[in-house]
């Protein structure tokens, strides 16, 4: 991770990025007539990033985006940060200073965020471990608080942890190894992790998790994360639940090969929960949080569940499993029912749950639904715009419940061919008795082609969203 530092003054001999309002304010940077006329011509031809050379250093000039809408402006700055990251990398630059000549500190933070997020590489399995070249960013902005840089650094690092976990294949990241990773992160960052092993899961009768695990080669785990600072603003916790299917073959309802290719990403919800705990704990947010992560692979062998099987969930409800590829809701149902014992003020689950969510919004946003108050929903939607992890609410009208009624059990685990993201959500609702939100991140958790600072493969979606939401929650409660 690039380290973020602050300095009081720009240095003569270091590569320089300048965020500016008006060209006339740049008289101590754009000095000679030649430079001035070059810069003017670049502005005329609408270059967003103006690059020129001053002997031993490059100067990159970036005019403050014209957008007045705050979230749009922030996103524009992140993207510019990403663009600069690419140029810096091409030149093999190791250190840069970024001077903020605009009136808002937010501008430089958003810009650095895009730059830093864009520098992510997953190199573990490459023999040539060529990283990004940039090592240190020096921010030159006197109104900037050092703590703000530290906070940003922690959040970006947390996003990287989520991406790493998502990018890890099953050949490394089984449920048990995932739990070890959680324990390691918890120790480093300051939150507790309790791992329930298979026999504990059996004694708790988590029938959904055990059913999905029946065809697996490796044992399941159920992970309880706890962050409980003394100065917490809430007594009853907020609970974050993450789908931790470390690989989804579909089971006997086997996926076709081309939809299976990326199914190591099926624990992205869990990764986002773990990484959010990391960011929250490292930035010491005053908030009581519980995390619940059921983890297993969904695979097939002679013992795997088959379509038609009836299982009993942790809360005693029975489910007819008509499609073994609708496994996420089975393990989440157990976790959501388990969450009841905390008497939570809010439960948020994140899951790569349905292809239907992906088809509805593509990669541009996540579907959400649930029973939480409209205040909470509005706050999440706003936060989604701020961090550009956008959310669209889908309805949970009672009529959809008809779709998941079983002939022989309380519920069946699939609805009809339509409204799949909703019927999946309706299924989960049966396991909740508290204010609840469900985020279906199937479209946003993993990208098959690069998309600016989100990169390619695991995006770490959810981490910046949850962190920001919890930060606002803990500062206004
Ligand atoms: N893990 C998948 C959903 C998914 C799809 C995640 C694409 C990421 C990208 C989930 O377990 C699944 O297979 N859902 C089925 C449910 C269906 C059988 C009711 C789906 O959406 O097709
Ligand atoms: Zn599935
Ligand atoms: Zn799945």
């Amino acid at each position: 991770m690039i380290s973020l530092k602050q300095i009081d003054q720009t240095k003569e001999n270091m590569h320089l990025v300048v965020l500016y309002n008006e060209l006339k304010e740049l008289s101590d940077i754009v000095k000679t007539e030649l430079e001035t006329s070059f810069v003017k011509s670049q502005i005329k031809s609408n270059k967003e990033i103006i690059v020129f050379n001053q002997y031993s250093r490059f100067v990159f000039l970036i005019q403050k985006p014209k957008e007045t809408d705050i979230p749009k402006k922030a996103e524009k700055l992140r993207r510019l940060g990403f663009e600069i990251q690419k140029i810096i990398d091409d030149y093999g630059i190791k250190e840069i200073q970024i001077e903020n000549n605009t009136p808002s500190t937010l501008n430089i933070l958003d810009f650095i965020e895009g730059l830093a997020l864009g520098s992510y590489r997953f190199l573990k399995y490459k023999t040539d471990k060529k990283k990004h070249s940039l090592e240190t960013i020096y921010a030159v902005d006197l109104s900037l608080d050092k703590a703000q840089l530290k906070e940003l650094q922690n959040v970006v690092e947390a996003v990287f942890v989520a991406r790493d976990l998502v990018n890890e294949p099953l050949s490394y990241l089984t449920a048990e190894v995932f739990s070890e990773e959680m324990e390691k992160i918890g120790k480093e960052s300051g939150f507790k992790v309790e791992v329930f092993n298979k026999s504990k899961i059996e004694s708790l009768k988590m029938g959904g998790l055990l059913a999905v695990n029946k065809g697996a080669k490796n044992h399941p785990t159920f992970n309880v994360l706890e962050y409980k600072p003394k100065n917490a603003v809430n007594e009853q916790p907020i609970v974050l639940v993450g789908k931790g299917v470390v690989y989804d073959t579909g089971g006997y309802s086997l996926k076709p090969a081309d939809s299976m290719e990326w199914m190591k990403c099926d624990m992205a919800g869990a990764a986002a929960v773990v990484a959010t705990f990391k960011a929250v704990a490292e930035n010491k947010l005053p908030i009581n949080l519980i995390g619940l992560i059921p983890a297993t692979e969904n695979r097939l062998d002679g013992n795997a569940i088959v379509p038609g099987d009836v299982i009993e969930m942790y809360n005693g409800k029975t489910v007819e499993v008509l499609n073994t590829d609708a496994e996420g809701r089975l393990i989440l149902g157990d976790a959501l029912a388990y969450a009841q014992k905390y008497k939570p003020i809010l439960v948020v689950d994140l899951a790569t749950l349905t292809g239907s969510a992906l088809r509805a919004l593509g990669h541009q946003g996540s579907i959400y639904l649930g029973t939480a108050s409209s205040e909470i929903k509005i706050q999440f939607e706003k936060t989604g715009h701020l961090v550009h992890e956008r959310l669209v609410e889908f309805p949970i009208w009672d009529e959809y419940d008809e779709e998941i009624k079983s002939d022989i059990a309380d519920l069946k685990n699939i609805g009809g061919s339509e409204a799949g993201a909703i019927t999946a959500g309706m299924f989960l609702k049966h396991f909740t008795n508290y204010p609840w939100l469900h985020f279906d991140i199937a479209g946003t958790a993993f990208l098959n082609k690069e998309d600016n600072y989100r990169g390619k493969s695991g995006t770490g979606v959810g981490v910046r969203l949850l962190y920001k939401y919890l930060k606002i929650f803990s500062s206004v409660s």
Side-chain angles (χ1 to χ4, degrees):
M1 165 70 193
I2 297 169
S3 87
L4 308 181
K5 295 188 176 150
Q6 196 177 18
I7 49 174
D8 298 343
Q9 260 188 330
T10 50
K11 295 179 182 170
E12 281 289 336
N13 55 353
M14 191 187 287
H15 300 293
L16 174 65
V17 178
V18 184
L19 301 177
Y20 74 98
N21 255 338
E22 298 294 338
L23 182 60
K24 58 178 189 285
E25 298 159 7
L26 297 180
S27 55
D28 48 343
I29 295 158
V30 184
K31 289 182 196 140
T32 66
E33 243 171 69
L34 267 176
E35 282 173 349
T36 312
S37 74
F38 172 70
V39 170
K40 277 188 178 154
S41 76
Q42 294 282 291
I43 292 176
K44 230 187 205 151
S45 53
N46 289 324
K47 282 270 177 312
E48 287 193 310
I49 298 176
I50 300 171
V51 190
F52 62 98
N53 183 285
Q54 283 178 337
Y55 303 104
S56 58
R57 73 173 181 189
F58 287 107
V59 177
F60 305 93
L61 300 182
I62 297 168
Q63 192 171 28
K64 191 189 87 173
K66 298 270 183 291
E67 274 87 354
T68 47
D69 176 73
I70 291 174
K72 279 194 181 143
K73 188 174 84 173
E75 179 60 4
K76 179 86 200 172
L77 283 159
R78 281 183 215 109
R79 289 179 184 214
L80 286 165
F82 169 71
E83 292 301 327
I84 279 283
Q85 193 296 129
K86 278 200 298 195
I87 301 172
I88 286 172
D89 211 44
D90 282 346
Y91 285 121
I93 291 172
K94 287 194 172 143
E95 291 187 326
I96 52 156
Q97 48 189 341
I98 304 176
E99 183 180 318
N100 187 17
N101 272 335
T102 72
S104 167
T105 295
L106 280 182
N107 291 335
I108 189 169
L109 287 171
D110 292 328
F111 180 79
I112 294 176
E113 182 172 52
L115 201 170
L117 286 170
S119 74
Y120 175 81
R121 312 279 186 273
F122 186 64
L123 298 171
K124 181 172 164 191
Y125 298 102
K126 292 269 191 196
T127 46
D128 174 11
K129 298 203 185 331
K130 190 182 167 299
K131 333 187 276 178
H132 58 85
S133 63
L134 191 63
E135 289 167 3
T136 314
I137 295 174
Y138 295 94
V140 195
D141 181 341
L142 292 175
S143 58
L144 190 66
D145 190 336
K146 262 205 185 79
Q148 288 173 294
L149 276 181
K150 185 71 199 145
E151 179 183 31
L152 176 59
Q153 175 134 12
N154 288 339
V155 172
V156 172
E157 271 171 14
V159 173
F160 286 6
V161 162
R163 289 180 182 177
D164 279 347
L165 288 167
V166 172
N167 292 335
E168 279 290 358
L170 177 65
S171 55
Y172 173 75
L173 202 81
T174 61
E176 285 171 312
V177 172
F178 192 11
S179 294
E180 285 166 21
E181 294 284 337
M182 290 181 214
E183 287 174 319
K184 205 158 68 191
I185 297 164
K187 241 182 226 130
E188 282 163 9
S189 310
F191 60 88
K192 273 205 251 167
V193 178
E194 196 182 350
V195 181
F196 299 168
N197 62 14
K198 187 173 180 188
S199 61
K200 170 86 181 188
I201 295 166
E202 280 167 347
S203 69
L204 287 170
K205 300 204 169 88
M206 291 184 162
L209 179 55
L210 290 166
V212 176
N213 185 254
K214 268 177 86 180
K217 200 168 160 289
N218 303 288
H219 285 165
T221 64
F222 186 87
N223 308 274
V224 182
L225 283 46
E226 188 187 67
Y227 173 69
K228 205 175 178 185
K230 289 205 176 69
N231 57 349
V233 294
N234 57 325
E235 218 163 274
Q236 294 159 257
I238 291 181
V239 177
L240 306 179
V241 176
K243 173 176 172 182
V245 172
V246 287
Y247 197 86
D248 185 9
T249 66
Y252 272 103
S253 312
L254 192 63
K255 285 184 184 295
D258 59 347
S259 11
M260 210 190 292
E261 240 169 271
W262 312 114
M263 279 305 138
K264 65 176 185 182
C265 81
D266 215 15
M267 35 57 74
V273 169
V274 178
T276 300
F277 266 72
K278 175 180 160 72
V280 166
E282 286 180 354
N283 288 327
K284 303 195 165 44
L285 294 191
I287 189 166
N288 275 338
L289 267 192
I290 293 288
L292 301 176
I293 296 174
T296 176
E297 66 218 41
N298 182 27
R299 244 168 141 166
L300 68 177
D301 80 357
N303 194 38
I305 42 168
V306 294
D309 278 352
V310 176
I311 63 171
E312 187 179 331
M313 302 285 285
Y314 173 73
N315 68 351
K317 287 198 178 166
T318 55
V319 176
E320 186 183 12
V321 179
L322 287 179
N323 190 315
T324 62
D325 196 12
E327 83 299 338
R329 62 199 78 182
L330 302 178
I331 71 171
L332 288 171
D334 282 346
L336 290 170
Y338 191 80
Q340 295 181 14
K341 76 170 204 166
Y342 295 99
K343 308 211 173 343
I345 46 172
L346 172 67
V347 176
V348 179
D349 79 72
L350 283 91
T352 44
L353 203 63
T354 66
S356 161
L358 169 64
R359 283 191 295 278
L361 301 181
H363 299 295
Q364 299 306 331
S366 305
I367 282 177
Y368 86 100
L369 49 78
T371 56
S373 69
S374 55
E375 281 89 340
I376 294 177
K377 289 179 178 175
I378 289 167
Q379 185 57 49
F380 260 110
E381 286 188 26
K382 265 194 191 162
T383 311
H385 282 290
L386 278 178
V387 301
H388 206 70
E389 294 186 1
R390 292 166 294 183
L391 299 167
V392 178
E393 185 178 8
F394 271 33
I396 43 170
W397 297 321
D398 290 341
E399 287 81 352
Y400 291 114
D401 227 17
E402 298 301 315
E403 302 270 326
I404 52 170
K405 286 199 170 134
S406 159
D407 293 340
I408 63 164
D410 299 336
L411 294 167
K412 59 180 179 176
N413 79 330
I414 47 166
S417 58
E418 291 151 1
I422 298 175
T423 47
M426 293 306 284
F427 182 94
L428 299 180
K429 183 167 174 275
H430 284 271
F431 300 87
T432 66
N433 70 350
Y434 38 64
W436 158 72
L437 291 179
H438 157 64
F439 294 86
D440 193 332
I441 57 172
T444 48
F446 196 90
L447 304 173
N448 300 334
K449 63 175 203 293
E450 186 185 87
D451 177 48
N452 67 73
Y453 64 85
R454 289 197 294 171
K456 196 181 169 180
S457 313
T459 59
V461 74
V463 180
R464 288 164 55 245
L465 174 74
L466 288 173
Y467 177 79
K468 189 77 160 195
Y469 178 83
L470 295 171
K471 164 130 192 204
I472 295 170
F473 175 88
S474 65
S475 64
V476 299
S477 296

